[in-house]
Amino acid sequence: MLKITKFGGSSLADASRFLRVRDIVLSDISRRVVVVSAAGKRHAGDHKITDLLYLCHAHLSYGVSCWDLWRRICDRYIDIRNGCSLQYPIEQELERIYAGLSAQTSCDYIASRGEYLSARLMAELLGYTFVDSAEWLQFDYAGRVLYDESYANLQSLADGRKIVTPGFYGVLPNGAVHTFSRGGSDVTGSLAAAALHADLYENWTDVTGILAADPRIVANPASIAQLSYEELQALSRVGTQVLHESAVEPVRSRQIPLQIRSTWQPELPGTRIGLPSTDYSAEPSIVGFAGRRNLAMLRVASSDIGRRMGDILRTLSLAGLSVFHSACALEQLTVLIDLDGSSERLHECTERLRAQLPQAQLKLRENLSVLAALLRGPDLLPKLVAAVQANGVPVHYLADTRPCLLMIVNDSQYETALRAAYSVCQKNN
Ligand code: ASP
């Protein structure tokens, strides 16, 4: 049995958390490969090491000394080393890194040093071998992971040993460090699991799993016990953000289950992902909800909409607008657009479409949200919509995009809609 365990920044923010992670890892002999993030925030007003490193790069690129910021980073790691009673000469590592920094040092290299330092200390604390991800995780120049090469590298480096490897980065073909986008250590963990044909990828974080609803809106929502890969990806497309978006594919392609667990409550099972595709004839139930705010809905009605559809979507995309969902039925095209401060662009584009399609009727509605319900079984759809409407929330549009049902509501009524929908979920599960 082999488990790949990945710990996020909040699980590694200080020495006491490092010690907690050590206890979790050593409590199970199958936890032989550990992937770590940089140290995260210790408390609300604190800073993540990675944020400080990006700031160091910004200073250097403008020719400003980053010494003060660097001191803060050094202090954090020296404190962790001391608090864990380790002898590791981290000062030498820190001096070596600082001595190599200049205005020309790449942003990715600087940003990656948090994971590197965390992994050095964690390897020491666990008595595991440190394996630098620069030695196994390879990207091409377009930033795409070279799977075969990376997997073969890790297989020969790990070779049955107990290892700690840093998350978030790898190297380009010329050896320069390259990082994933933010939160990318999740992807490193998933790649390590796929490379080593692990039995389980455990992703340890600060939440008790994937929650059935946003806890800022619904009091004490339940954790979802099990999800299929497809269901997780469907929720993530709408807005659930527990894992990096690219973290599912490597484990999914090798059918390795993924478990989200809480470092604070290791006794809880968390959420397990990797059920076979959901059987819709199974007991109907509502699994959970995800939401996406600040959307606009454009509806174009025209008898020749089938022929016009491609042009309309192209016009929107050329205007830099991001289409979240589109559907065409009964001579009407409905497009949901993410409005990321691009309201003017949307209006401009709508006027352009009006001019291009003089026969068509165009209706634009803004200040909307989508409430997505992850359903297993079809029977609850009318109940959900009725519950939302009974609370005075009009549903402007409904799309059955299994496994998620999408309900479009006014943004100002999103919270009411979620609470109403969640109460149906509680009654039926
Ligand atoms: N430390 C990086 C970040 O803050 C990567 C990670 O934690 O996964 O985004």
Side-chain angles (χ1 to χ4, degrees), residues 6 8-9 37-38 48 50-51 54 111 115 167-168 181-186:
K6 180 258 162 182
S37 288
K48 294 180 178 183
T50 310
D51 291 341
Y54 279 121
E115 272 69 14
F168 193 37
S181 55
R182 296 298 303 264
S185 302
D186 288 339

Side-chain angles (χ1 to χ4, degrees), residues 38 49-57 101 105-116 167-169 177 179-180 182:
I49 290 291
T50 310
D51 291 341
L52 297 177
L53 288 165
Y54 279 121
L55 273 174
C56 283
H57 174 262
L101 298 182
T105 312
S106 85
C107 184
D108 282 9
Y109 170 76
I110 299 182
S112 72
R113 292 306 86 188
E115 272 69 14
Y116 173 83
F168 193 37
Y169 70 94
V177 166
T179 62
F180 289 108
R182 296 298 303 264

Side-chain angles (χ1 to χ4, degrees), residues 213-429:
D214 184 338
R216 289 166 301 186
I217 301 173
V218 170
N220 301 318
S223 296
I224 302 175
Q226 308 212 53
L227 285 173
S228 68
Y229 302 111
E230 294 76 13
E231 288 172 333
L232 174 64
Q233 285 173 319
L235 280 178
S236 307
R237 263 193 296 280
V238 183
T240 297
Q241 276 178 346
V242 173
L243 277 182
H244 189 286
E245 58 188 9
S246 308
V248 176
E249 215 35 57
V251 280
R252 176 184 170 155
S253 68
R254 298 212 158 162
Q255 293 293 301
I256 298 167
L258 157 59
Q259 196 158 4
I260 313 241
R261 303 194 61 174
S262 163
T263 308
W264 309 114
Q265 287 166 283
E267 66 286 358
L268 297 180
T271 301
R272 189 168 172 111
I273 295 127
L275 286 174
S277 288
T278 307
D279 172 6
Y280 293 127
S281 63
E283 275 288 284
S285 65
I286 308 167
V287 186
F289 299 90
R292 203 176 184 94
R293 314 293 293 262
N294 202 14
L295 289 172
M297 180 164 69
L298 178 66
R299 299 191 115 164
V300 186
S302 169
S303 54
D304 62 351
I305 197 69
R307 282 192 292 119
R308 302 285 190 181
M309 215 162 59
D311 289 341
I312 297 170
L313 293 173
R314 205 162 310 121
T315 304
L316 291 166
S317 136
L318 287 175
L321 295 161
S322 140
V323 171
F324 165 66
H325 167 86
S326 65
C328 194
L330 304 173
E331 303 192 339
Q332 175 160 272
L333 173 70
T334 304
V335 191
L336 299 175
I337 299 152
D338 269 319
L339 270 191
D340 199 5
S342 48
S343 178
E344 280 113 35
R345 243 184 297 147
L346 175 62
H347 282 276
E348 205 182 288
C349 191
T350 309
E351 289 317 311
R352 208 171 319 135
L353 284 170
R354 271 194 224 285
Q356 277 170 17
L357 307 162
Q359 320 292 1
Q361 278 190 312
L362 272 82
K363 269 194 210 142
L364 180 64
R365 209 185 250 274
E366 287 176 84
N367 302 319
L368 299 175
S369 283
V370 62
L371 172 60
L374 177 61
L375 304 174
R376 291 186 190 141
D379 308 6
L380 290 166
L381 194 151
K383 251 194 187 171
L384 263 183
V385 179
V388 169
Q389 287 174 331
N391 278 269
V393 180
V395 176
H396 299 300
Y397 176 70
L398 199 62
D400 192 352
T401 58
R402 288 306 159 101
C404 279
L405 167 74
L406 307 181
M407 280 178 274
I408 305 300
V409 298
N410 294 331
D411 194 43
S412 57
Q413 292 176 306
Y414 175 78
E415 301 192 356
T416 313
L418 174 57
R419 285 191 202 104
Y422 188 76
S423 66
V424 177
C425 161
Q426 277 180 313
K427 275 180 216 139
N428 284 280
N429 289 340

Side-chain angles (χ1 to χ4, degrees), residues 194-220:
L196 302 175
H197 296 277
D199 298 283
L200 180 66
Y201 170 29
E202 287 182 329
N203 191 294
W204 292 82
T205 175
D206 55 0
V207 290
T208 54
I210 296 180
L211 300 177
D214 184 338
R216 289 166 301 186
I217 301 173
V218 170
N220 301 318

Side-chain angles (χ1 to χ4, degrees), residues 32-35 126 128-131 136 154 157-158 161-165 196:
R32 294 197 302 278
V33 175
V34 179
V35 177
L126 292 170
Y128 284 18
T129 305
F130 170 81
V131 171
W136 67 271
L154 186 60
L157 284 167
R161 286 183 300 172
K162 295 175 174 176
I163 64 164
V164 177
T165 194
L196 302 175

